[in-house]
Amino acid sequence: VLATMIVGWDSGFHFYLLLTVPVLAVSPIRPPRLRTLAVAAAGSGYIALDLFLRTTTPPHVLSPGTLKVLYYFNLLAALLILAGLAGRYHRIIQQTQGALHLMATTDPLTQLRNRQSLQAFIDEQHSRARRGHALSFIMCDVDHFKRVNDRGGHAAGDAALRAVGGSMAARVRVTDVVGRWGGEEFLVVLPDAEPADAAWVAERLRAGIASLPTHLGTELSRITVTAGVSTLGPGESASQAVARADAALYDGKRQGRNQVVIAAGPTHDDRVGFTVT
């Protein structure tokens, strides 16, 4: 403002005043009404200066050549600052979108994928499976989870779920995706995994979780899971394959828990047990 008043409007120093408008518009001023008033005040102040100074002779009159150099220097500088501001705001938007996406796709307790994110990944992999790629599923459920909650409270139950989730995430293949399906159930999606591969991963998960000691109050208790394994069959939907894995899991529950049960093909009602104790 002072530079514009001293050497005149044609020097271009007024361009910097315009930069206050976008800065104020995205500023954290609260309440929003106060921010709107600040933006309006900055815009009104610029217009008032324009009306007052554009036709006013400044105290220090510069040569036309000097004014021209100042004008284009200030114009270029203001554009560069504006570009920098735009880049910063773009990064802020990207970071915010990333944080929101993470919140929308992550289970807050285990930090694994949530059911919505798992379903999106399943749909994506199902499209690949139609082109001839194998696709398998492992459904895991924590054994006697109610007992864990009863003995140690919900804090112990939450700790157990976090321990199970962390153990599973550390033992799946790089291409596999593990998430919390709901409650104490976890689902692993295994792209390009034949039944034998999926069974091997499931047993690796079961054994790893069984080796985790978890403190429940003053009592040391072992956590175990039962797992059901299925592989997408010809003409079968992904939801049907997941349902078969879930049914195989409950077969394992009835057979004594802490085991892996491989579901038979989609055209059979019987299931073959794959049990390791």
Side-chain angles (χ1 to χ4, degrees):
V1 172
L2 289 174
T4 304
M5 292 176 64
I6 292 171
V7 297
W9 189 264
D10 292 339
S11 64
F13 282 104
H14 56 86
F15 289 130
Y16 301 109
L17 300 178
L18 288 174
L19 300 177
T20 62
V21 175
V23 171
L24 289 171
V26 298
S27 68
I29 297 175
R30 294 291 183 272
R33 180 181 298 179
L34 183 59
R35 183 169 63 247
T36 302
L37 290 175
V39 172
S44 301
Y46 181 84
I47 294 173
L49 284 174
D50 186 356
L51 292 172
F52 177 73
L53 296 177
R54 183 183 289 273
T55 58
T56 302
T57 301
H60 297 275
V61 179
L62 302 177
S63 67
T66 303
L67 280 177
K68 186 175 182 179
V69 170
L70 275 177
Y71 177 87
Y72 284 107
F73 173 82
N74 289 326
L75 175 60
L76 178 61
L79 289 175
L80 290 174
I81 295 172
L82 185 60
L85 289 173
R88 175 174 174 79
Y89 297 152
H90 179 67
R91 287 193 298 273
I92 292 173
I93 291 172
Q94 284 185 317
Q95 292 170 356
T96 303
Q97 288 177 333
L100 290 174
H101 177 73
L102 187 64
M103 291 173 60
T105 59
T106 303
D107 173 60
L109 177 62
T110 63
Q111 298 304 304
L112 300 174
R113 292 204 189 199
N114 60 19
R115 184 164 182 161
Q116 179 182 355
S117 177
L118 279 173
Q119 190 60 61
F121 184 72
I122 290 171
D123 293 341
E124 175 186 325
Q125 295 304 315
H126 192 206
S127 297
R128 292 183 70 248
R130 291 196 185 103
R131 299 192 294 270
H133 294 270
L135 180 61
S136 295
F137 302 95
I138 302 172
M139 184 72 77
C140 294
D141 185 89
V142 180
D143 296 330
H144 300 297
F145 185 70
K146 185 178 184 301
R147 186 183 303 172
V148 175
N149 276 329
D150 291 343
R151 289 179 178 178
H154 289 292
D158 290 348
L161 291 176
R162 284 193 292 267
V164 169
S167 177
M168 293 179 68
R171 287 176 169 82
V172 295
R173 305 175 309 168
V174 175
T175 55
D176 302 334
V177 169
V178 58
R180 188 179 177 191
W181 192 244
E184 62 270 25
E185 279 193 331
F186 295 82
L187 179 67
V188 185
V189 185
L190 304 96
D192 301 310
E194 299 295 341
D197 301 323
W200 179 84
V201 173
E203 174 54 25
R204 173 182 167 88
L205 296 178
R206 185 208 63 78
I209 293 167
S211 67
L212 290 175
T214 301
H215 289 279
L216 305 177
T218 59
E219 182 179 353
L220 186 65
S221 176
R222 188 178 69 154
I223 297 176
T224 63
V225 296
T226 302
V229 181
S230 68
T231 300
L232 188 71
E236 185 182 27
S237 68
S239 60
Q240 289 172 325
V242 172
R244 287 194 297 111
D246 196 49
L249 182 157
Y250 283 98
D251 281 352
K253 294 281 190 181
R254 288 189 290 269
Q255 295 169 15
R257 296 181 171 84
N258 190 24
Q259 57 187 273
V260 174
V261 177
I262 305 173
T267 59
H268 298 84
D269 292 330
D270 59 318
R271 294 172 177 85
V272 180
F274 178 85
T275 307
V276 178
T277 58

